Amino acid sequence: PPKQWYQRRVAITAGKDSDNYDVHFDAEEEAEEMRKFREACEDEQFPDEMDTPIDMAARIRFQKYRGLASFRTSAWDPQENLPRDYARISQIRNFRHVRKSLLRQSNTEKPVQAGAHVDIYISEVPLSLRDSTSSTITLFSLLPHEQRLSVQHVAQARHPLSTGTVKGKEQLLAQVGFRRYVVKPIFSQHTKSNKHKMERFMPVAGNFVASFYAPITLTESPAVLFKVEEDGSVTLLSTGTLLSCDPDRVVCKRVVLSGHPAKVNKRSAVVRYLFYNREDIAYFKPVQVRTKHGRRGHIKEALGTHGHCKITFDKPIQQSDTVLIPLYKRVFPKWHFEYF
C-alpha cells in the first residue's frame, strides 16, 4: 500500500506546463526510488525476516551472527571483533564525567564580557581568505580532545515535511553544533538497553539514533541531517541533539530465519524450510527458537537429509504458526568523513 510519507507533492497544471511534465524525468532515479520503497515496505511488513539460502550453507552465510536468549539482558562484550577503523579513532572513558569536568574548568576562566572590544591577531591567513569579498569571519575555539575523531551518536526525529526513503549508510550531510561534514550513518533504536537494534531505513515516526565517524563534541549541541541532491541543494531530513561520542555503543543487526510446521503434535512439530541440510541443523541446535504467537522451544533432532527438523516447544502450537530463529551481529558505521 502507498505510504503518505512517500507520496510526492507534484503540481500538475493544464496547458503548456502539462506538455513539458516529463522533460526532467529521470528513469534511473525513479527505478532506484521504487526499489528502496519496496524494500522499506517489505521490511515494515516482515521486519528483519530473510529466507534461508538454498545454494549456500546457512552456517557459512550467517557465521558472523549469534543467537541470544534475551536481546535485552544477554551479555555482549563491546571490545570484541572491532574493525580496523577503530584503530584510527579516540575513545573517552566515562564521556559524561569528562564533559562535565572540562566544561566546569572552562567556565572558571575569565570570560569576555558581551559588548567588549576585542582585538584578535591571526597569523598565516590564506590569501584566498584575505582577498575574499565577505567581510564576516566566524571564529570558534575547541575544548580539549575536540580535534580527535570518534564515533558520534545523535538522537534524531524525522521532520514532518521530509519525504522519500533513506537507507542506512547512505551519504548524508550532518550539522552538529558549528561543524558540518559529510557522513554515512547507521540508524538504530533509541533505547536505554546496553544493545540497540539497527534500523535498515531511517524511521518515519518516533525517535532514533544516527551513528557516524565525526570529531568529538563535548558541548550539548543541536544536530541536523540533510540530504544533498544532485543539483547541490540540500533537503532537511531530521532534527535532534547530540547524544554522546562513545565507540562502545553496541548496535546489532537482526536477521530472522523462518520455517513452517509440516506436522504438529501438541508441543512438538516437524518444521521445514528453516534449513536445507543436517549440518546446518546441528550448527544452530543450541539457538532458542520462537514463534510469531509467542511460543519458545529448541531443536530436538534432524529428520532425513533435506533440512526437516523436530522442535519441541513450551506450549502447544498451531499449524498456521510460523517458526522463527533470530540471529544478531554487531554493525559499525561506514568509514567516511569529510568537511562540507
Side-chain angles (χ1 to χ4, degrees):
K3 307 297 180 182
Q4 293 181 356
W5 49 268
Y6 180 74
Q7 293 176 351
R8 294 187 174 182
R9 297 167 296 172
V10 181
I12 303 178
T13 58
K16 298 181 179 180
D17 294 339
S18 61
D19 299 335
N20 299 327
Y21 180 77
D22 293 332
V23 172
H24 301 288
F25 181 80
D26 191 345
E28 296 182 359
E29 181 182 358
E30 188 74 11
E32 180 67 18
E33 289 291 335
M34 179 59 66
R35 184 187 63 82
K36 292 195 297 183
F37 169 68
R38 289 177 176 175
E39 290 180 1
C41 291
E42 183 179 357
D43 185 68
E44 182 180 358
Q45 187 176 5
F46 305 100
D48 305 321
E49 287 194 26
M50 178 180 295
D51 295 332
T52 305
I54 301 178
D55 56 346
M56 184 178 185
R59 63 186 182 278
I60 298 177
R61 170 62 179 84
F62 304 107
Q63 59 184 345
K64 294 183 179 180
Y65 291 79
R66 68 181 69 177
L68 298 177
S70 174
F71 181 76
R72 185 178 62 86
T73 60
S74 297
W76 195 300
D77 185 7
Q79 300 295 330
E80 65 174 333
N81 298 329
L82 298 178
R84 293 185 178 181
D85 295 334
Y86 266 49
R88 307 163 64 179
I89 64 175
S90 301
Q91 180 180 9
I92 298 179
R93 298 291 183 181
N94 199 346
F95 178 79
R96 293 184 179 180
H97 175 73
V98 173
R99 177 168 61 181
K100 288 182 179 179
S101 61
L102 289 177
L103 291 178
R104 191 184 306 112
Q105 180 181 357
S106 62
N107 292 334
T108 57
E109 300 178 358
K110 187 176 180 180
V112 178
Q113 299 296 329
H117 179 78
V118 179
D119 294 330
I120 301 177
Y121 299 90
I122 305 176
S123 61
E124 301 179 1
V125 177
L127 295 176
S128 59
L129 181 61
R130 189 186 65 178
D131 300 336
S132 177
T133 57
S134 177
S135 59
T136 303
I137 299 177
T138 303
L139 302 178
F140 55 85
S141 61
L142 298 178
L143 293 173
H145 313 298
E146 285 193 335
Q147 77 281 5
R148 301 178 180 179
L149 286 178
S150 185
V151 181
Q152 196 172 98
H153 310 283
V154 293
Q156 295 286 289
R158 194 73 178 264
H159 194 269
L161 299 180
S162 175
T163 60
T165 306
V166 182
K167 196 172 183 179
K169 297 184 180 180
E170 188 174 335
Q171 184 169 304
L172 301 177
L173 177 63
Q175 174 82 43
V176 182
F178 54 83
R179 291 189 278 201
R180 179 181 297 180
Y181 24 75
V182 180
V183 295
K184 293 184 177 181
I186 59 174
F187 309 118
S188 60
Q189 296 179 349
H190 191 8
T191 58
K192 295 184 179 180
S193 176
N194 60 346
K195 296 179 293 296
H196 311 273
K197 178 180 168 297
M198 187 198 77
E199 299 286 354
R200 287 179 169 83
F201 299 88
M202 178 182 287
V204 180
N207 298 327
F208 62 94
V209 176
S211 305
F212 45 83
Y213 294 105
I216 295 175
T217 303
L218 297 175
T219 57
E220 297 182 0
S221 307
V224 186
L225 293 180
F226 300 91
K227 182 178 181 180
V228 181
E229 305 294 344
E230 294 183 357
D231 57 356
S233 61
V234 294
T235 303
L236 177 61
L237 294 177
S238 60
T239 59
T241 58
L242 173 66
L243 186 63
S244 65
C245 295
D246 184 15
D248 285 346
R249 188 178 188 272
V250 179
V251 179
C252 294
K253 178 181 179 180
R254 185 179 71 171
V255 167
V256 180
L257 305 181
S258 60
H260 301 277
K263 297 179 181 180
V264 175
N265 184 12
K266 295 183 179 179
R267 293 175 54 246
S268 64
V270 177
V271 180
R272 59 182 178 179
Y273 307 141
L274 192 60
F275 302 107
Y276 295 99
N277 55 73
R278 297 179 62 92
E279 291 77 10
D280 288 343
I281 297 175
Y283 182 83
F284 289 97
K285 191 174 183 179
V287 181
Q288 189 181 52
V289 180
R290 63 179 181 86
T291 68
K292 287 191 174 182
H293 291 170
R295 305 295 183 261
R296 297 182 181 273
H298 287 86
I299 299 176
K300 189 174 181 180
E301 60 179 345
L303 302 176
T305 60
H306 298 285
H308 292 198
C309 58
K310 187 176 182 180
I311 302 179
T312 303
F313 297 92
D314 56 349
K315 295 181 181 180
I317 69 168
Q318 301 177 4
Q319 185 76 38
S320 59
D321 207 346
T322 303
V323 181
L324 306 174
I325 294 184
L327 304 174
Y328 302 88
K329 78 168 182 177
R330 186 179 179 184
V331 293
F332 303 89
K334 189 173 183 179
W335 181 266
H336 184 88
F337 171 80
E338 59 180 82
Y339 283 104
F340 184 79

